[in-house]
Amino acid sequence: MGRRRWKDPEPAQKLSAAEIEDSPELQHGLQGLFPTAGLVGPGWLAQKRLPSVPVPQPPLFQGGFTMCSETGSRYTGMMLLPLATTAIIANLLLYFPNGQVLEPAKITDLVWFFHGFLGAGLLVMVPALMLLRGGGERCCTHRCGMLSPVLLTIQGTLGAVYCVIISSLGLLSGPFCDTGSGNYTYPFRNDSLEDNYLFNQPTWATCQEPEHIVLWNVVLFSILLGIGIIEAVLCLSQVVSGLSDVYCGTCIRKGQVNITGL
């Protein structure tokens, strides 16, 4: 039995570029070998060049800065919350002149306007808690969501301004006290600005009961006035920041730019 002689394989047939492009089988095989290279497709041999690869651009902003002012909003909330708490305590102390428990009819009328409880207290505490919870982060999703913190900070601004107005009136009109006749009255309410008791401390002795009522009212109304001014400035700054975010409709966070609300 003779040995079978090995024959050399026939040389591979060379195909033209047109034949390769017209052959679906070859196109499919080449695309299977280079699925992501982007080198195979109609006219790839005719072009004889690599596809252009887009160069990644660096982010416009680096770091954690956001137009929604998330970090700044939380710091604002951290300042507003203790201020609102202090305003509530100061308003509560006005009901107990010099630590005494009096009849409601013997308490200065402006105390019953609740400018510390309601104005600089609760109306400011609500947006303060919202800012502490990170409302700025969620507001970036859409413009309608960004309007909610703005409305709450407007509420806080109005409450703080209300506290400023009532506290100013309380300082100018003076306390409700007994001048020695046994009847409670407002001895300083009709004073002019030039002759106001605030700039004439010897006249404080006019009020005999409750003891030290003038000093008590001046200190607490002054505290509430200062708190109201600070709260109004902080809330107003958040209103301006929020309105600018709503107008621009953008949120820049951690080096990324997201166009929202469009």
Side-chain angles (χ1 to χ4, degrees), residues 79-95 111 114-125 159-160 163-164 167 220-221 223-229 231:
M79 290 186 288
L80 287 175
L81 189 59
L83 287 173
T85 305
T86 305
I88 293 175
I89 296 174
N91 199 161
L92 179 63
L93 291 176
L94 284 172
Y95 290 97
V111 178
F114 303 109
H115 58 294
F117 278 125
L118 183 62
L122 296 179
L123 291 180
V124 175
M125 191 171 290
C163 180
V164 170
S167 298
L220 292 177
F221 274 113
I223 291 175
L224 288 170
L225 177 62
I227 289 175
I229 293 175
E231 288 178 344

Side-chain angles (χ1 to χ4, degrees), residues 111-259:
V111 178
W112 297 102
F113 281 75
F114 303 109
H115 58 294
F117 278 125
L118 183 62
L122 296 179
L123 291 180
V124 175
M125 191 171 290
V126 173
L129 293 174
M130 182 272 301
L131 294 174
L132 281 175
R133 291 176 58 188
E137 181 178 0
R138 291 186 294 275
C139 81
C140 299
T141 55
H142 48 79
R143 291 188 179 182
C144 293
M146 294 162 69
L147 276 176
S148 177
V150 173
L151 295 177
L152 287 178
T153 49
I154 290 176
Q155 165 193 296
T157 304
L158 295 177
V161 172
Y162 173 72
C163 180
V164 170
I165 294 174
I166 301 300
S167 298
S168 301
L169 293 176
L171 284 173
L172 292 175
S173 62
F176 190 52
C177 63
D178 182 7
T179 59
S181 61
N183 297 323
Y184 276 72
T185 183
Y186 294 95
F188 311 115
R189 180 152 288 188
N190 297 323
D191 289 351
S192 61
L193 291 178
E194 293 79 7
D195 301 329
N196 194 274
Y197 75 101
L198 293 174
F199 311 106
N200 191 6
Q201 190 170 351
T203 60
W204 294 9
T206 305
C207 288
Q208 298 183 8
E209 290 292 337
E211 189 177 2
H212 305 301
I213 181 61
V214 179
L215 179 61
W216 188 270
N217 273 30
V218 167
V219 171
L220 292 177
F221 274 113
S222 298
I223 291 175
L224 288 170
L225 177 62
I227 289 175
I229 293 175
I230 296 174
E231 288 178 344
V233 172
L234 292 175
C235 290
L236 188 60
S237 66
Q238 286 299 122
V239 171
V240 174
S241 175
L243 289 177
S244 65
D245 292 338
V246 173
Y247 178 77
C248 298
T250 59
C251 180
I252 302 172
R253 177 179 172 83
K254 294 183 180 179
Q256 297 179 353
V257 179
N258 297 324
I259 306 300

Side-chain angles (χ1 to χ4, degrees), residues 39-56:
L39 300 177
V40 179
W44 67 281
L45 287 177
Q47 295 176 2
K48 295 183 180 180
R49 61 183 179 87
L50 294 177
S52 60
V53 179
V55 179

Side-chain angles (χ1 to χ4, degrees), residues 25-38:
E25 292 81 3
L26 290 177
Q27 290 286 341
H28 178 73
L30 291 175
Q31 290 176 357
L33 292 176
F34 308 99
T36 60

